[in-house]
Amino acid sequence: MQNTRILLAARPDGWVDDSHFTQDTQPVPEPGDGQILLRTIYLSVDPYMRGRMNDTKSYIPPFQIGEPLSGGVVAEVVHSNHADFAVGDTVIGLLDWAEYSVSNGEGLRKVHAGGHPLSYHLGILGMPGLTAYVGLVEVGRVQAGESVFVTAASGAVGSVVGQIARNMDCYVAGSAGSDAKVAHLKNTLGFNDAFNYKSVDSVHKTIAGLFPKGINVAFENVGGAQFEAAIWNMAVFGRIALCGMIADYNISRSEMPAGPRGMTNLIGRNVTLQGFIVSNYPQAAPAWDAQCREWLAAGKMTYDESVAEGIGAAPGAFVGMMKGENFGKQIVKVGDE
Amino acid sequence: MQNTRILLAARPDGWVDDSHFTQDTQPVPEPGDGQILLRTIYLSVDPYMRGRMNDTKSYIPPFQIGEPLSGGVVAEVVHSNHADFAVGDTVIGLLDWAEYSVSNGEGLRKVHAGGHPLSYHLGILGMPGLTAYVGLVEVGRVQAGESVFVTAASGAVGSVVGQIARNMDCYVAGSAGSDAKVAHLKNTLGFNDAFNYKSVDSVHKTIAGLFPKGINVAFENVGGAQFEAAIWNMAVFGRIALCGMIADYNISRSEMPAGPRGMTNLIGRNVTLQGFIVSNYPQAAPAWDAQCREWLAAGKMTYDESVAEGIGAAPGAFVGMMKGENFGKQIVKVGDE
């Protein structure tokens, strides 16, 4: 039996493209004592992975050239030499981008569909959903009725941020990169307002118009001009949850992205800007999981997925996501549930 | 009896100089019913006043051309038509830059020397001292033994930040704009280390060398390159208390100051950056006042003042402070205690 894997071929400098990936095919590995063999069902495709393609020290080590990429994976146990795992168990964990992988079980968590697609464990019931909750509620300390601005609002994280805010009776407006996404935000996800950041004359003036009394909580996924405009439009005692700056990830390392101007606005308005990594907030997971399942069951939360088919489609799915081509959460279906 | 006042002559664009001030001399005003006549003893000269010279909406209204500047003042009541104030009382409040002024008592607070110079009420026992405490303890949430970096460290605020940190057994390093100030920080104020930001090859590398494990709390008064370097050198879960950005205040409005690059560092390290205005934290004043007086009495807190003499010296004192020529807190002695 053969095992196809996706490897890092070269480190991108600026935009990532297909040339930065390669693949190989090897025999399926043999699990040793205390190990299990896993068959990949879904791969998660996430913006933070772009940072791991750079050779820079961060909170998570960089990918190595010639080695498989890795990320969030839902997989089925197909052979077990481990007392805690049985053949047929479904698990989630950080695993290689490969059709099969071997694990000693460390960091794996068993998951059950529970009436939802298994892939939701890579999205709304997984890291991106918890990121939305932690950023808005724990970091952003949002209160019912406040005003919320979210960038990349139709994405895996932003779409959940907006719906949490809506369910908390907040005024929520978001930005996205196409008119179709903007329509989806307003018509399906219940955003009060939304705009296409690529087509408005001025992001700054658009945000100012949407938030005449200022933004109470800004959930920042994008960086660049939108981040700067948010800084200029915060309300007194506002909070900015800094989750990602995907616009900056695509800029060549030789031209370091400009920083947001107007930081003195943070002083005069007593604004808090907090960067965060969801893995630092594990204690928030049970509350979010319960709330999310309640809202899903009540039809008060929806979740969109863009699904690429087959391990070979993973590089293209990643490149497309970095360009904003996905609609909601980008995943790759590698094998059947 | 005559009353000399300092007026705003023109709005500076970038660096402020003597041409932006003028003075006039008028008869001393007559206090009406319910009013008091105040004789100015000390004027406070503070960086935030530079912002009030711009015609921009902020947390405090702009100065008006042809009108007196105003700021923190210690004054003596010389005539009273107000039941709460008696001739001879000493008060502090936001008053005009003038030898005499009339007030209805609103916003005034009686002060007593209490063994300290009266001018301390404009400094360590006043707004700058409370700013240091609020920024380090309430905003920065400093803990005993942590590492602290402070810019403009020999200034009215920074010198107090450093001494609080030292008294809390923190490691504290600061930056200043002259070798004499650096020596004072290390030899007199008890900083563990300090550097002259004007003469080091790289502010970034200097800070990295002083904080090999990263900065737990950065107290930012300056902005510009030092702010950016702090952002790159924060420890995981670090806090940046953003108090001022004096370097930016001197840049022409036609060339908006560049923003700090590398904000993604805040994400990976889960750093909080909070701007603040001391007037939003009145509840902190009693604790700080008691702690400060205890440390002053025990010789565990010292405070330096640069004193200019006479109302006519006020513009020059302000211009000099914006250039960093002062040593510690800049005040103007307008009349005898």
Side-chain angles (χ1 to χ4, degrees):
Chain A
M1 219 165 40
Q2 297 294 298
N3 179 30
T4 296
R5 313 184 302 170
I6 306 296
L7 318 176
L8 184 67
R11 299 195 185 281
D13 182 25
W15 287 98
V16 63
D17 62 40
D18 289 347
S19 73
H20 301 113
F21 301 88
T22 186
Q23 64 178 60
D24 70 4
T25 300
Q26 302 194 333
V28 169
E30 296 273 340
D33 271 4
Q35 292 189 323
I36 55 179
L37 178 65
L38 294 159
R39 179 182 67 84
T40 299
I41 302 172
Y42 294 109
L43 300 182
S44 183
V45 179
D46 297 293
Y48 82 88
M49 297 175 69
R50 176 63 187 80
R52 298 189 69 187
M53 294 184 176
N54 299 333
D55 190 19
T56 46
K57 196 181 141 191
S58 184
Y59 61 97
I60 186 164
F63 297 130
Q64 295 302 319
I65 292 172
E67 296 291 324
L69 284 84
S70 60
V73 166
V74 170
E76 181 191 10
V77 177
V78 291
H79 188 97
S80 178
N81 301 326
H82 191 302
D84 296 345
F85 297 91
V87 170
D89 283 351
T90 309
V91 299
I92 182 172
L94 274 179
L95 294 168
D96 284 353
W97 275 23
E99 292 174 299
Y100 293 91
S101 54
V102 158
S103 167
N104 62 8
E106 212 177 290
L108 295 185
R109 189 166 51 84
K110 292 186 202 181
V111 290
H112 306 278
H116 306 294
L118 262 180
S119 54
Y120 273 24
H121 292 287
L122 300 176
I124 191 165
L125 293 171
M127 183 272 286
L130 185 58
T131 299
Y133 177 79
V134 162
L136 188 62
V137 175
E138 303 255 325
V139 174
R141 304 189 304 279
V142 71
Q143 300 295 314
E146 287 194 317
S147 65
V148 174
F149 175 60
V150 52
T151 56
S154 75
V157 173
S159 63
V160 183
V161 172
Q163 292 180 90
I164 297 173
R166 179 204 64 200
N167 288 348
M168 289 180 70
D169 297 319
C170 293
Y171 168 87
V172 57
S175 64
S178 77
D179 291 347
K181 289 178 178 178
V182 167
H184 186 67
L185 292 174
K186 293 200 274 194
N187 300 336
T188 305
L189 298 184
F191 280 63
N192 297 92
D193 219 324
F195 67 92
N196 180 346
Y197 72 89
K198 291 179 179 170
S199 63
V200 293
D201 283 338
S202 158
V203 169
H204 187 106
K205 286 179 187 166
T206 302
I207 295 175
L210 291 171
F211 294 90
K213 294 179 184 171
I215 302 165
N216 295 125
V217 182
F219 196 112
E220 184 52 74
N221 291 310
V222 170
Q226 296 195 73
F227 182 33
E228 182 173 290
I231 287 171
W232 285 84
N233 284 288
M234 297 303 293
V236 173
F237 296 118
R239 290 84 66 197
I240 305 174
L242 185 59
C243 178
M245 298 178 73
I246 196 169
D248 285 2
Y249 309 163
N250 301 321
I251 294 176
S252 165
R253 285 189 295 282
S254 60
E255 29 179 322
M256 194 164 157
R261 295 167 297 180
M263 301 288 282
T264 51
N265 286 296
L266 303 183
I267 302 176
R269 301 180 200 170
N270 223 108
V271 170
T272 302
L273 163 64
Q274 184 176 344
F276 72 102
I277 294 288
V278 66
S279 55
N280 289 329
Y281 298 82
Q283 74 285 357
W288 165 241
D289 199 65
Q291 177 66 81
C292 181
R293 287 173 189 275
E294 181 192 317
W295 279 338
L296 283 167
K300 295 180 76 175
M301 184 68 72
T302 62
Y303 202 61
D304 303 298
E305 295 178 329
S306 290
V307 184
E309 297 279 343
I311 186 80
F318 186 81
V319 170
M321 179 203 60
M322 292 301 293
K323 292 180 183 163
E325 291 172 0
N326 56 307
F327 215 100
K329 169 67 186 171
Q330 180 67 56
I331 55 173
V332 180
K333 184 176 181 186
V334 175
D336 290 333
E337 288 201 13
Chain B
M1 219 163 44
Q2 297 295 300
N3 179 31
T4 296
R5 312 184 303 170
I6 306 296
L7 317 175
L8 184 67
R11 299 194 184 281
D13 182 26
W15 288 97
V16 62
D17 62 40
D18 289 346
S19 74
H20 302 112
F21 301 89
T22 186
Q23 64 179 59
D24 70 2
T25 300
Q26 301 194 333
V28 169
E30 296 272 340
D33 271 5
Q35 293 189 322
I36 54 178
L37 179 64
L38 294 159
R39 178 182 67 84
T40 300
I41 302 172
Y42 294 110
L43 300 182
S44 184
V45 179
D46 297 292
Y48 82 88
M49 298 175 67
R50 176 63 187 80
R52 298 189 70 187
M53 294 182 177
N54 299 334
D55 191 20
T56 45
K57 196 180 142 192
S58 183
Y59 62 97
I60 186 165
F63 296 130
Q64 295 303 318
I65 291 172
E67 296 291 323
L69 284 84
S70 59
V73 166
V74 170
E76 181 191 9
V77 178
V78 291
H79 188 99
S80 177
N81 300 328
H82 191 303
D84 296 344
F85 297 92
V87 170
D89 282 351
T90 309
V91 299
I92 183 172
L94 274 179
L95 295 168
D96 284 353
W97 276 22
E99 292 173 297
Y100 293 90
S101 54
V102 158
S103 166
N104 63 6
E106 210 177 291
L108 295 186
R109 190 166 50 84
K110 291 185 204 181
V111 290
H112 305 279
H116 306 294
L118 261 180
S119 54
Y120 273 25
H121 292 287
L122 299 176
I124 191 164
L125 293 171
M127 183 273 284
L130 185 59
T131 299
Y133 178 80
V134 162
L136 188 63
V137 175
E138 303 256 323
V139 174
R141 304 190 302 279
V142 71
Q143 300 295 313
E146 287 195 317
S147 66
V148 175
F149 175 59
V150 52
T151 56
S154 75
V157 173
S159 63
V160 182
V161 172
Q163 292 180 90
I164 297 173
R166 179 203 64 199
N167 288 346
M168 290 181 69
D169 297 320
C170 293
Y171 167 86
V172 56
S175 65
S178 77
D179 292 347
K181 288 177 177 175
V182 167
H184 186 67
L185 292 174
K186 293 201 273 194
N187 301 335
T188 305
L189 298 183
F191 280 63
N192 296 92
D193 219 323
F195 67 92
N196 180 346
Y197 72 89
K198 292 180 179 170
S199 64
V200 293
D201 283 340
S202 158
V203 168
H204 188 107
K205 286 180 186 164
T206 302
I207 294 176
L210 291 171
F211 294 90
K213 294 180 183 169
I215 301 166
N216 296 124
V217 182
F219 195 112
E220 184 53 73
N221 291 308
V222 170
Q226 296 195 73
F227 182 34
E228 182 174 289
I231 287 170
W232 285 84
N233 283 288
M234 296 304 293
V236 173
F237 296 118
R239 291 84 67 198
I240 305 174
L242 185 58
C243 178
M245 298 179 74
I246 195 169
D248 285 2
Y249 307 164
N250 300 320
I251 295 175
S252 166
R253 285 189 295 279
S254 60
E255 28 180 323
M256 196 166 157
R261 296 168 297 182
M263 302 288 282
T264 51
N265 286 297
L266 302 183
I267 302 175
R269 301 180 199 169
N270 223 108
V271 170
T272 302
L273 163 62
Q274 184 176 345
F276 73 102
I277 295 288
V278 65
S279 54
N280 289 328
Y281 298 82
Q283 74 284 358
W288 164 241
D289 199 64
Q291 177 67 82
C292 181
R293 287 173 189 275
E294 181 193 317
W295 279 338
L296 283 167
K300 295 179 76 177
M301 185 66 72
T302 62
Y303 202 61
D304 303 298
E305 294 179 329
S306 291
V307 185
E309 296 279 345
I311 186 82
F318 186 82
V319 170
M321 179 203 60
M322 291 302 294
K323 292 179 182 161
E325 292 172 358
N326 57 307
F327 215 101
K329 170 66 186 172
Q330 180 68 56
I331 55 172
V332 181
K333 184 177 179 186
V334 175
D336 291 333
E337 287 199 14

